[in-house]
Amino acid sequence: MQLPPRDGLLSLCYHRIADYENDSYDSGVISTNGDQFDDQVSFLKRKQWLVTLEEALAFVEGKSGEKSPRFKVLITFDDGYLDNYEIAFPILRAHGAQGVFFLSTGLVGSNAVLWWDEIAYLVKHAKRRKFSLSYPERLEVDIGKNGTNESVASVNFLYRRPENTDSERFMRELRAALGETDPPSHPRRYLSWDEARQMIAGGMAIGGHTHSHRMLSKLDLEEQRKELTQSRAKIAEQLGIDTNVLAYPYGFNLAFSGQTQRIANEAGYRAAFSYYGGFNRNGSIDRYDIKRVGVNGQSHSRFRAEVGVSRLSGKFWP
Ligand SMILES: [Zn+2]
């Protein structure tokens, strides 16, 4: 029996393209490596499932004019890490495929290290193999016993506890617990405005990801409005484009609110992407909550199986 494909949009969310081994930062945001990304794009291209941002938006807005149900896949990247330019962009361009890159304007061209990467960096470079933290709760970490990845994950988990209301204190105490005195110097980690211009010229699309990458639901309305309007204005000024799509930082369902969605609409965004899983089926799409699923290091055969099941079931990853 031949099942028809679901009429819907599968939107993939990537962060970094890099090798897991020998990376100094958070491997949790490494989506895949260059070879596997090339395999993924080539597979999706061959199947003729890939769509551009404009095609995805036309579908979401009910204006695609397609006569028969069609399965569509959109490739998106959050945060604008430098490897998006160095590795992902050439691969996409070589396949004639488009990626949508959501940039946080405050990070563009910088060597900033946000908390998840800093936690990983500190633990991976720790001189002390055993340490304990007491804020916001007690945690004993034994890198020798539990391994680096599990140790990074346990500190990351502690940071994300709702009781952690003072993130500067958390990082200060982590550095102190590790005996870290001098702040390390980091190479540039985010793509620059000039690189973003080259990406646009090479067929890529750019979206907004706020200015400072704070969780919008934790900000008051005026601050949320500023984050959305100022970043949009900055992109227009630097890149000469009117970016009208947004990805909510963190993207899970409590990271933005109904008010955030309304502000996004008022700030001139046509659509906004979340990141807590799900498939966008025709007839049940919220333009300010376009669902995305993460690519998180799965093998190529698993990736193909997941996309295939999504195509037929209208749900995601089996
Ligand atoms: Zn982000």
Side-chain angles (χ1 to χ4, degrees):
M1 186 180 71
Q2 187 84 358
L3 286 167
R6 297 292 178 168
D7 192 17
L9 172 70
L10 177 69
S11 195
L12 301 175
C13 179
Y14 295 82
H15 283 85
R16 295 188 53 205
I17 304 292
D19 288 315
Y20 293 91
E21 287 83 32
N22 310 317
D23 190 82
S24 284
Y25 302 96
D26 183 11
S27 33
V29 291
I30 298 180
S31 306
T32 186
N33 63 31
D35 288 342
Q36 294 228 32
F37 183 64
D38 190 75
D39 282 345
Q40 293 171 1
V41 178
S42 139
F43 165 71
L44 296 169
K45 183 77 189 173
R46 202 166 56 240
K47 293 285 190 180
Q48 302 187 317
W49 291 336
L50 286 175
V51 290
T52 63
L53 175 62
E54 276 308 316
E55 290 167 333
L57 290 175
F59 168 71
V60 163
E61 291 171 345
K63 297 173 189 157
S64 66
E66 287 168 345
K67 286 181 192 72
S68 52
R70 190 184 156 217
F71 174 68
K72 295 164 270 285
V73 181
L74 182 69
I75 293 176
T76 73
F77 279 82
D78 279 6
D79 299 354
Y81 282 103
L82 181 56
D83 54 55
N84 295 182
Y85 168 78
E86 291 182 333
I87 302 173
F89 168 47
I91 291 171
L92 288 161
R93 189 177 44 187
H95 288 289
Q98 187 188 64
V100 187
F101 295 84
F102 292 101
L103 307 181
S104 284
T105 49
L107 297 176
V108 173
S110 79
N111 63 352
V113 179
L114 297 192
W115 64 266
W116 56 89
D117 278 329
E118 184 171 13
I119 287 173
Y121 185 93
L122 288 168
V123 174
K124 286 182 178 182
H125 294 83
K127 289 180 211 95
R128 289 189 193 143
R129 308 293 289 167
K130 254 173 123 163
F131 61 96
S132 63
L133 299 168
S134 57
Y135 176 78
E137 263 174 27
R138 187 139 189 98
L139 175 71
E140 307 285 338
V141 182
D142 186 339
I143 302 172
K145 187 167 150 230
N146 299 317
T148 308
N149 288 341
E150 200 179 305
S151 303
V152 170
S154 67
V155 178
N156 185 300
F157 187 75
L158 184 67
Y159 181 97
R160 286 187 282 113
R161 290 206 54 90
E163 293 83 3
N164 174 18
T165 52
D166 185 347
S167 46
E168 278 173 29
R169 174 180 172 192
F170 185 100
M171 296 309 297
R172 198 167 57 237
E173 295 188 5
L174 174 62
R175 281 184 222 109
L178 288 166
E180 209 55 66
T181 45
D182 304 321
S185 64
H186 297 279
R188 180 160 71 88
R189 308 195 58 242
Y190 292 91
L191 62 91
S192 68
W193 289 118
D194 184 56
E195 288 157 352
R197 281 187 279 272
Q198 294 174 46
M199 291 166 81
I200 293 170
M204 304 298 120
I206 300 289
H209 197 42
T210 74
H211 179 70
S212 62
H213 203 285
R214 287 179 293 168
M215 199 182 296
L216 289 164
S217 58
K218 288 191 173 176
L219 306 179
D220 66 37
L221 294 185
E222 257 335 285
E223 276 184 294
Q224 293 192 46
R225 199 181 305 278
K226 257 182 161 171
E227 285 284 345
L228 298 191
T229 52
Q230 289 182 351
S231 55
R232 186 155 179 252
K234 186 84 183 166
I235 288 172
E237 173 201 315
Q238 289 289 340
L239 303 178
I241 56 164
D242 176 20
T243 188
N244 51 19
V245 288
L246 168 74
Y248 303 114
Y250 306 101
F252 57 91
N253 48 7
L254 293 177
F256 60 99
S257 66
Q259 285 173 324
T260 313
Q261 294 177 292
R262 186 171 50 76
I263 293 170
N265 175 297
E266 287 165 6
Y269 292 95
R270 267 168 85 184
F273 292 76
S274 56
Y275 181 36
Y276 55 88
F279 181 78
N280 304 287
R281 276 175 81 158
N282 198 0
S284 62
I285 299 172
D286 177 347
R287 263 199 301 144
Y288 294 94
D289 183 5
I290 300 178
K291 312 285 188 288
R292 290 189 296 171
V293 298
V295 176
N296 295 312
Q298 54 269 62
S299 67
H300 190 51
S301 56
R302 178 158 183 105
F303 177 85
R304 274 187 303 200
E306 287 169 331
V307 176
V309 169
S310 168
R311 172 175 174 267
L312 295 176
S313 68
K315 299 191 180 79
F316 177 58
W317 300 155

